[in-house]
Amino acid sequence: MIQELTQNRITDLFAHKSERLLNVYFTAGFPELTDTRTILRGLEAAGVDLVEIGMPYSDPVADGETIQQSNGKALDNGMSIKALFDQLAGCRSEITVPILLMGYVNPILQFGVANFCKKCQEVGVDGVILPDLPLDLYLAEYASVFREYGILNVHLITPQTSESRIRYIDEESDGFIYMVSSASITGSVQGISDPMRAYFERIQSMNLRNPRLIGFGINNHETFDTASQYANGAIVGSAFIRHLQEKGTSAESIQAFVQTIRA
Amino acid sequence: MQTTLEPTTSFEVSDKGFYGHFGGAFIPEMLYPNVEELRQNYLQIIADPAFQAEFWQLLEDYVGRPTPLFLAKRLSEKLGATIYLKREDLCHTGAHKVNNTIGQILVAQRLGKKRIVAETGAGQHGVATATVCALMGLECIVYMGSIDMERQKPNVDRMRMLGATVIPARSGSQTLKDATNEAMRHWINNPVDTHYIIGSVVGPHPYPDMVARFQSVISQEVKKQLLAKTGTQNPDYVVACVGGGSNAAGAFFHYLNEPSVRLVAAEAAGQGVSSGHSAATTALGKPGVLHGSRTILMQTEDGQVVEPYSISAGLDYPGIGPLHAHLFDSGRGDFYAITDDEALQAGFQLSKLEGIIPALESAHALAALEKMNLKSDDVVVVCLSGRGDKDLATYSKHL
């Protein structure tokens, strides 16, 4: 069981808002190396509730083509964890929206887990999503460091996750639970099917202690709206990456994207 | 690396899936149920007498085991030691890979799976997987780097003839690493009815242990055969090539706890360890996580995986299995980096001295012999992991 964290923008957010939360993902260093702050400002101005910044990785196995390509471009542009922290330094003077970093475990191991958590705290990152760091390993090896620096670690559940494991994940989670909408990689799901709704209902009826955001396959107003009926909100990733690529990173472009999702 | 999980000191896998500091199951939650299902069942399935009977019957009647342990007289004379070749090249489908695919297809059947997905580098594992899927009537999907599909075309044709769907992996270096990524994604997208047959001693626990167990038939036979030929079960050296390291794991398995037997691993140095075109993992890598386990990995300072290079598609991988990382880390194994040229020359030498054209992978193991300072009374077993037919186009460029 997690000790109550003193102050965290993510827990604060859920304490005040429980419906139709929108979390938007973008890859750091994409489309251009220095776009991170521009996109952050744009998302804040457009009123998203949380922002998830992807730390690019050469082998993102849980991601589909769109996000993998954005990762590759960002790495070619020269993005790294160190460069990202440099870009985020001082961002809390202008950005209030909770920030999560999403990425794979190997670059963080090389950066140093304690060093990583310390830098997260320094620049104002509130939480992380690390799909290939399993819960048991996290608890055994790293949880104490994350807690020391007040960084939340968000865990995933999928339609195949057993009820007992969902209870366990709920018990050991703080912030929110990331509900992967279906057996899939990112960007590969079209629409919300009946089996997905049945899964959403099943989780909804479990009365978990953590709030839930649904991700994977949320790409327009209809899917956001449906997901929000079954959870506290949803996460958009690949659709926003495609939008940035096609329509650019201006405040107007980002505003327009967020409006089409929220409508 | 800091850890509160006690590192194991033996060479058997721990119940958490670790060999020393290496191993584990670093997988997205999307794969957790699949891997957990396997972890909870594999030992019991393998231990079942009915499984054992079917496995051994197929190894004998279908694969053609036991494979010979051949005393290579002319090579021995040339190198000044007694060299035996464990002839895995004589297995059905032309390499040791089929030992593992026979085992895993039987596991998959018992888990009620309807479809098989696999990755392949040189195509030997893909062919071995397509073969057992045909044998058992299961659908087979094989991911292969698009560059590998070009340089190992005969194996692509063989897989298709056996009824498999071969899908090119076009991401990254378009070789084995990326084929593995794509196969894992396919498994994420098809978690319930699909089994992923990993071809090497890599991936999340329990794969490295399961694959090593199926390949351990190699060292089991070597012990028996060597005893019959020499009066002792133990050679001075067992030599094998290591990409992921499945033939090496199989050749080393029953010798892991025999300290008098040195375990020698040949890695692919490509155009040279320092050339920037290499796959010499232990020389160039450091601890990291790839494809579900903590191992030794070629990576940048920032933890991005470095694209490997080798003339041999089967060794063109930026990591090694966690057992091998532990053998290296603990000093139990000797690791040699073999260049493309050294491997080619060793391949030509074996062909001319013994009438055996080795796979380019196996040629790396043969080339290690030249670096080992062998003594005249040394007895050496080399795992000849596969035959060289698939590599003729590459060999012929250097004839």
Side-chain angles (χ1 to χ4, degrees):
Chain A
M1 177 77 185
I2 307 289
Q3 298 300 308
E4 283 302 314
L5 287 147
T6 46
Q7 189 76 34
N8 185 288
R9 290 174 198 87
I10 298 169
T11 41
D12 284 354
L13 170 70
F14 284 102
H16 295 104
K17 186 174 178 184
S18 59
E19 288 184 342
R20 299 183 67 80
L21 280 88
L22 176 60
N23 181 355
V24 175
Y25 166 96
F26 70 96
T27 305
F30 175 87
E32 302 299 330
L33 178 64
T34 55
D35 281 340
T36 309
R37 288 285 275 269
T38 312
I39 297 169
L40 256 181
R41 269 184 225 115
L43 288 170
E44 169 125 335
V48 306
D49 298 294
L50 303 98
V51 174
E52 189 182 322
I53 306 177
M55 299 174 284
Y57 181 48
S58 53
D59 295 80
V61 288
D63 287 296
E65 203 178 342
T66 302
I67 290 180
Q68 176 165 22
Q69 281 176 0
S70 72
N71 276 223
K73 176 85 191 314
L75 290 172
D76 289 346
N77 288 343
M79 182 44 74
S80 65
I81 292 180
K82 183 180 178 304
L84 176 58
F85 282 133
D86 288 346
Q87 292 179 357
L88 291 176
C91 76
R92 284 305 178 192
S93 63
E94 57 169 344
I95 304 290
T96 58
V97 66
I99 296 174
L100 294 125
L101 298 186
M102 181 270 163
Y104 293 82
V105 72
N106 193 52
I108 294 168
L109 294 180
Q110 305 311 318
F111 193 85
V113 174
N115 196 24
F116 175 79
C117 291
K118 183 165 171 274
K119 292 297 287 185
C120 282
Q121 187 189 48
E122 269 173 34
V123 303
V125 166
D126 307 287
V128 295
I129 302 170
L130 306 173
D132 62 341
L133 177 57
L135 180 56
D136 289 339
L137 272 164
Y138 167 72
L139 293 173
E141 302 198 14
Y142 305 117
S144 58
V145 182
F146 278 75
R147 284 170 195 161
E148 183 185 337
Y149 291 101
I151 309 302
L152 304 188
N153 184 11
V154 172
H155 302 291
L156 280 61
I157 63 170
T158 82
Q160 274 71 42
T161 311
S162 68
E163 180 173 346
S164 61
R165 185 163 169 84
I166 292 172
R167 296 276 177 212
Y168 175 50
I169 289 170
D170 186 40
E171 196 62 26
E172 297 294 348
S173 289
D174 44 12
F176 63 93
I177 286 175
Y178 191 135
M179 276 180 66
V180 176
S181 67
S182 62
S184 65
I185 52 176
T186 60
S188 64
V189 184
Q190 299 298 323
I192 291 178
S193 62
D194 288 342
M196 285 159 76
R197 283 175 194 269
Y199 154 65
F200 297 163
E201 278 170 11
R202 177 165 62 87
I203 305 304
Q204 198 172 24
S205 68
M206 286 180 71
N207 295 315
L208 302 178
R209 53 185 279 277
N210 283 284
R212 291 155 287 121
L213 299 181
I214 293 174
F216 291 39
I218 311 302
N219 51 17
N220 55 24
H221 173 64
E222 190 192 349
T223 47
F224 174 74
D225 207 46
T226 308
S228 293
Q229 289 166 30
Y230 298 97
N232 304 80
I235 305 167
V236 179
S238 300
F240 185 56
I241 296 292
R242 282 192 291 271
H243 179 87
L244 290 174
Q245 193 154 27
E246 288 159 17
K247 304 283 171 60
T249 59
S250 70
E252 296 73 28
S253 159
I254 292 172
Q255 180 87 35
F257 177 83
V258 172
Q259 269 172 2
T260 60
I261 299 292
R262 278 247 166 87
Chain B
M1 200 173 310
Q2 274 194 339
T3 171
T4 55
L5 293 172
E6 280 299 308
T8 55
T9 50
S10 79
F11 299 101
E12 282 82 45
V13 77
S14 75
D15 60 350
K16 301 269 186 206
F18 280 84
Y19 302 90
H21 295 287
F22 304 102
F26 292 80
I27 42 163
E29 188 64 30
M30 292 82 106
L31 286 179
Y32 180 86
N34 310 40
V35 172
E36 186 62 11
E37 179 187 32
L38 198 58
R39 190 188 69 79
Q40 286 186 359
N41 292 293
Y42 83 110
L43 290 174
Q44 207 179 334
I45 289 174
I46 294 171
D48 178 13
F51 178 96
Q52 284 287 320
E54 196 175 358
F55 179 62
W56 287 102
Q57 195 71 57
L58 283 167
L59 288 185
E60 187 178 325
D61 296 341
Y62 190 70
V63 175
R65 301 205 73 92
T67 59
L69 184 70
F70 172 67
L71 173 61
K73 284 188 188 149
R74 297 187 67 208
L75 183 68
S76 296
E77 203 171 302
K78 179 90 193 293
L79 296 177
T82 303
I83 317 283
Y84 287 94
L85 303 177
K86 181 58 174 164
R87 297 290 309 275
E88 293 302 294
D89 60 316
L90 294 178
C91 289
H92 177 47
T93 71
H96 71 290
K97 293 289 186 187
V98 72
N99 304 326
N100 169 49
T101 59
I102 291 272
Q104 284 204 47
I105 200 90
L106 296 178
V107 170
Q109 275 185 329
R110 281 156 176 78
L111 290 173
K113 305 297 178 181
K114 304 290 179 221
R115 187 191 299 120
I116 297 297
V117 63
E119 85 296 334
T120 197
Q124 292 305 108
H125 173 58
V127 168
T129 304
T131 298
V132 297
C133 287
L135 179 69
M136 300 297 178
L138 267 67
E139 185 186 348
C140 182
I141 294 161
V142 180
Y143 286 89
M144 187 170 187
S146 45
I147 287 176
D148 290 340
M149 285 181 73
E150 281 169 36
R151 59 179 172 174
Q152 305 282 333
K153 189 168 182 304
N155 274 343
V156 177
D157 294 341
R158 287 164 81 195
M159 284 184 271
R160 288 184 171 146
M161 188 163 170
L162 291 160
T165 305
V166 185
I167 303 178
R170 300 192 192 281
S171 59
S173 59
Q174 303 173 36
T175 59
L176 179 55
K177 164 178 87 82
D178 309 287
T180 308
N181 289 341
E182 296 298 332
M184 287 179 100
R185 287 174 172 150
H186 184 96
W187 204 23
I188 287 173
N189 284 339
N190 299 277
V192 178
D193 60 352
T194 302
H195 175 72
Y196 179 14
I197 297 191
I198 293 184
S200 195
V201 285
V202 302
H205 178 65
Y207 277 101
D209 182 54
M210 182 170 67
V211 176
R213 282 167 189 267
F214 290 142
Q215 291 295 358
S216 73
V217 60
I218 299 173
S219 61
Q220 190 175 330
E221 286 178 4
V222 169
K223 278 200 147 185
K224 204 171 154 189
Q225 292 168 322
L226 202 62
L227 179 66
K229 286 177 196 294
T230 68
T232 171
Q233 293 187 330
N234 294 353
D236 296 292
Y237 298 96
V238 178
V239 185
C241 66
V242 170
S246 68
N247 87 90
F252 296 167
F253 196 87
H254 288 87
Y255 293 111
L256 289 167
N257 297 313
E258 302 270 14
S260 70
V261 182
R262 285 307 291 171
L263 307 177
V264 178
E267 291 187 305
Q271 294 170 8
V273 169
S274 311
S275 66
H277 302 279
S278 179
T281 302
T282 58
L284 296 168
K286 54 183 176 171
V289 172
L290 180 68
H291 294 148
S293 57
R294 182 191 284 162
T295 186
I296 297 173
L297 177 63
M298 287 167 49
Q299 54 187 312
T300 66
E301 215 171 287
D302 296 326
Q304 306 295 339
V305 181
V306 165
E307 307 289 1
Y309 163 82
S310 167
I311 194 169
S312 153
L315 303 182
D316 199 349
Y317 188 70
I320 51 175
L323 167 62
H324 296 300
H326 182 44
L327 293 177
F328 175 74
D329 189 53
S330 64
R332 177 72 185 90
D334 297 330
F335 284 69
Y336 290 91
I338 306 298
T339 65
D340 291 351
D341 286 343
E342 289 166 340
L344 284 165
Q345 291 319 311
F348 287 130
Q349 176 170 267
L350 189 75
S351 304
K352 286 178 180 148
L353 288 178
E354 303 288 353
I356 299 169
I357 300 174
L360 275 168
E361 290 78 6
S362 317
H364 284 73
L366 293 163
L369 297 172
E370 314 262 359
K371 306 193 167 201
M372 285 167 54
N373 297 320
L374 293 171
K375 297 195 298 290
S376 59
D377 60 346
D378 281 337
V379 175
V380 183
V381 174
V382 181
C383 185
L384 200 73
S385 56
R387 66 181 181 224
D389 309 33
K390 70 184 177 61
D391 296 313
L392 273 184
T394 309
Y395 277 128
S396 62
K397 282 182 203 158
H398 298 85
L399 267 173

